[in-house]
Amino acid sequence: MTPDEAIASAKKICEFRDSLPPSQRPKIESGLSTVFGCTIEGAVSEDEVVRMAVASVEAGCDEVGLADTTGYANPEQIRRVFRKVRVAIGDKLAGAHLHNTRGLGLANVVAALEVGVTTFDSSLGGLGGCPFAPGASGNIVTEDLVFMLESMGLRTGIDLDKLLALRRILEQGIPGEPLYGYVPLAGVTKGFVPASAAG
């Protein structure tokens, strides 16, 4: 469907939600894909991203998340687009969905943090990717993301040791599937104290 058809579909979903008793109404987030560039379309107009974000809110969505589905984004672009969308929709701007296709995933997280984004999608072992976006690799690696954030003094609430143990279970469960990440290979830095464990 076209982007506008997707908005019309979101509006129908929101209308159905609104027909439910208040206690049964789920929060609905519109996730805008390929915001920072597209392997099929190429450059994506930032004005169009803002228009789609506004249309999502007008359709009744509670939040709008921005996705770098193809791993095209760079830190300056992340800061600029998130700022523009926040001006347009305020606190309805949600989180960032980032990929590490060109090695900029964590740098883009830092850029998003700088403009007030606090929710990030990631995946264990960097699993993921998109069959509709040729060349797109997996999501940013949860293990690396947690290590970076905790090293920066930001409390994630995630126990990194348990997360790394979970990765070992994943490796056994899907043998032969490539997993990504630097912290699982190199380990944490000597003397590392996660922010979540600090007094």
Side-chain angles (χ1 to χ4, degrees):
M1 63 180 70
T2 67
D4 287 320
E5 287 171 342
I7 293 294
S9 180
K11 184 175 182 181
K12 289 180 183 176
I13 293 168
C14 291
E15 288 169 350
F16 172 73
R17 177 214 44 209
D18 293 343
S19 73
L20 299 172
S23 64
Q24 296 177 17
R25 294 178 189 168
K27 182 183 282 189
I28 296 175
E29 178 181 324
S30 169
L32 302 184
S33 300
T34 63
V35 163
F36 303 94
C38 175
T39 52
I40 298 167
E41 184 179 342
V44 173
S45 162
E46 293 176 6
D47 290 341
E48 178 65 4
V49 172
V50 171
R51 184 185 78 80
M52 291 297 294
V54 169
S56 295
V57 171
E58 289 174 349
C61 296
D62 299 295
E63 297 179 334
V64 178
L66 305 183
D68 182 24
T69 317
T70 56
Y72 271 39
N74 64 69
E76 181 51 37
Q77 186 183 24
I78 289 278
R79 285 187 287 265
R80 187 175 62 248
V81 174
F82 270 95
R83 282 182 183 128
K84 285 182 178 181
V85 173
R86 178 166 282 118
V87 166
I89 66 170
D91 63 1
K92 292 192 180 288
L93 177 60
H97 176 93
L98 304 171
H99 285 240
N100 198 43
T101 309
R102 290 165 181 84
L104 295 176
L106 293 182
N108 288 335
V109 168
V110 173
L113 285 168
E114 290 172 356
V115 293
V117 179
T118 58
T119 302
F120 299 92
D121 293 340
S122 64
S123 67
L124 192 63
L127 291 174
C130 179
F132 306 110
S137 64
N139 300 287
I140 53 175
V141 178
T142 303
E143 303 92 296
D144 292 347
L145 176 63
V146 169
F147 173 73
M148 181 187 77
L149 294 175
E150 292 284 343
S151 296
M152 293 170 63
L154 301 172
R155 297 171 186 261
T156 64
I158 298 172
D159 183 314
L160 187 56
D161 290 333
K162 290 180 180 177
L163 184 64
L164 293 171
L166 180 60
R167 180 189 171 104
R168 290 189 286 277
I169 295 170
L170 178 66
E171 288 171 343
Q172 295 168 2
I174 51 172
E177 183 70 26
L179 299 180
Y180 304 94
Y182 295 101
V183 172
L185 298 176
V188 299
T189 54
K190 187 173 183 177
F192 170 70
V193 178
S196 293

